[in-house]
């Protein structure tokens, strides 16, 4: 399969996905190590473009998405968000035809079947619940993910809260599509440190479902048949991803993993395009 035939679907909420990255120093919940070189949306988008792939962004009603403004503007951007280089990468992405003219995942004709790759970016802003909680997206992921079982020419990648969205996809038996997969997601320790370290001035901003809700890690672990075996974790700040052995599925934890995840996805799609007849 030539690279120009690779079709990518990126499933997004209208607002709130993470354009930038902040990593928490574990063990010092009031201290933030700012890693401002990676983005969960713009970096994979850019790498997929470089690969020459056809990208389609889906939002609920075909509205051009907006990433979390707190990571891009004002004092929160300076403290928690993007460097100017990262903002420039995001700005470049938003000028593309793909970004400005999304398709609708609420359209009666919506289907993920034509796509080689489905990518689910992350983001902790509460707006991302639109895609996580969508019954339409859950059904579509439930139909698509089993098609990535090896050998296959289809693949899925997810990072941070994107893993949460994928975990909500249901099989025909009503179980999570990740029930027998190996995965990572945003570590609960990192999520908790971000919340505790900022709650005095940002409230429950870092808790997508509000203060007191379970962490992304807890949510995803509950979807697995054996979370002690299937869930892979790292609290290190170096890039870390998980490649499943049963499915063409790659997952990442948080923004610093985005570049490595994108590179490995490009390599995986290249491999499966050549190896599967």
């Amino acid at each position: 399969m030539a690279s120009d035939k690779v079709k990518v679907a990126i499933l997004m909420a209208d607002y709130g996905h993470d354009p930038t990255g902040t990593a928490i120093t574990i063990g010092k919940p009031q201290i933030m190590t700012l890693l401002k070189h990676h983005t969960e949306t713009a970096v994979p988008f850019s790498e997929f473009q470089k690969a020459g792939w056809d990208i389609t962004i889906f939002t609920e009603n075909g509205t051009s998405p907006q990433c979390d403004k707190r990571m891009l503007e004002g004092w929160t951007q300076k403290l928690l968000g993007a460097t100017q280089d990262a903002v420039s990468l995001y700005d470049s992405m938003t000028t593309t035809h793909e970004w400005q003219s999304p398709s609708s995942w609420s359209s009666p004709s919506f289907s993920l079947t034509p796509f080689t790759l489905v990518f689910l970016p992350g983001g902790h802003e509460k707006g991302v619940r639109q895609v996580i909680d969508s019954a339409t997206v859950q059904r579509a992921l439930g139909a698509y993910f089993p098609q990535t079982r090896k050998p296959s020419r289809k693949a899925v990648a997810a990072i941070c809260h994107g893993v949460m969205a994928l975990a909500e996809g249901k099989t025909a038996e009503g179980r999570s599509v990740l029930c027998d997969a190996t995965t990572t997601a945003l570590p609960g320790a990192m999520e908790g440190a971000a919340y505790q370290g900022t709650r005095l001035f940002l409230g429950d901003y870092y808790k997508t479902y509000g203060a007191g809700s379970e962490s992304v890690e807890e949510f995803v672990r509950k979807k697995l048949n054996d979370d002690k075996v299937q869930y892979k974790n790292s609290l290190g700040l170096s890039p870390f991803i998980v490649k499943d052995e049963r499915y063409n599925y790659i997952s990442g934890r948080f923004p610093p993993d985005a570049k490595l995840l994108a590179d490995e996805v490009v390599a995986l799609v290249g491999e499966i395009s050549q190896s599967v007849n």
Side-chain angles (χ1 to χ4, degrees), residues 101-214:
S101 302
S103 294
S104 167
W105 45 257
S106 62
S107 167
S109 62
F110 170 65
S111 172
L112 295 175
T113 300
F115 293 93
T116 312
L117 170 69
V118 174
F119 175 60
L120 296 149
H124 48 261
E125 210 282 334
K126 291 174 176 55
V128 301
R129 288 155 55 170
Q130 180 184 25
V131 68
I132 296 172
D133 296 341
S134 167
T136 299
V137 171
Q138 291 169 9
R139 285 193 298 271
L141 292 172
Y144 186 88
F145 190 82
Q147 299 178 56
T148 69
R149 191 178 182 94
K150 299 177 181 181
S152 170
R153 277 186 168 171
K154 296 186 183 297
V156 170
I159 187 169
C160 195
H161 286 64
V163 180
M164 196 176 192
L166 181 59
E168 283 283 53
K170 301 294 191 299
T171 67
E173 296 75 31
R175 304 176 71 188
S176 169
V177 295
L178 292 182
C179 66
D180 61 345
T182 302
T183 191
T184 191
L186 176 65
M190 291 184 177
E191 183 178 342
Y195 167 62
Q196 293 296 338
T198 62
R199 65 190 180 94
L200 291 179
F201 54 96
L202 290 179
D204 65 357
Y205 171 63
Y206 277 99
K207 294 295 292 182
T208 304
Y209 285 84
S213 61
E214 63 185 351

Side-chain angles (χ1 to χ4, degrees), residues 15-36:
Y15 178 78
H17 286 282
D18 192 278
T20 69
T22 302
I24 306 306
T25 303
I26 304 304
K28 298 180 180 179
Q30 302 301 327
I31 299 175
M32 290 192 171
T33 302
L34 302 182
L35 302 178
K36 300 182 177 183

Side-chain angles (χ1 to χ4, degrees), residues 1-62:
M1 183 186 295
S3 62
D4 62 355
K5 293 184 180 179
V6 172
K7 300 178 68 176
V8 183
I10 301 179
L11 302 180
M12 300 187 68
D14 291 345
Y15 178 78
H17 286 282
D18 192 278
T20 69
T22 302
I24 306 306
T25 303
I26 304 304
K28 298 180 180 179
Q30 302 301 327
I31 299 175
M32 290 192 171
T33 302
L34 302 182
L35 302 178
K36 300 182 177 183
H37 303 292
H38 303 77
T39 70
E40 286 186 2
T41 305
V43 165
F45 182 93
S46 176
E47 295 304 312
F48 299 162
Q49 270 197 325
K50 290 177 187 176
W53 295 351
D54 241 349
I55 301 172
T56 301
I57 292 174
F58 286 94
T59 57
E60 184 169 13
N61 297 303

Side-chain angles (χ1 to χ4, degrees), residues 15 49-51 68 84 87 97-98 110 115 151 180 207 223 230 235 250 256 266 273 275:
Y15 178 78
Q49 270 197 325
K50 290 177 187 176
D68 188 352
Q84 190 53 52
V87 172
H97 171 75
E98 294 90 344
F110 170 65
F115 293 93
D180 61 345
K207 294 295 292 182
K223 303 293 185 178
Q230 295 169 246
L235 298 182
I250 301 178
V266 171
S273 296
S275 63

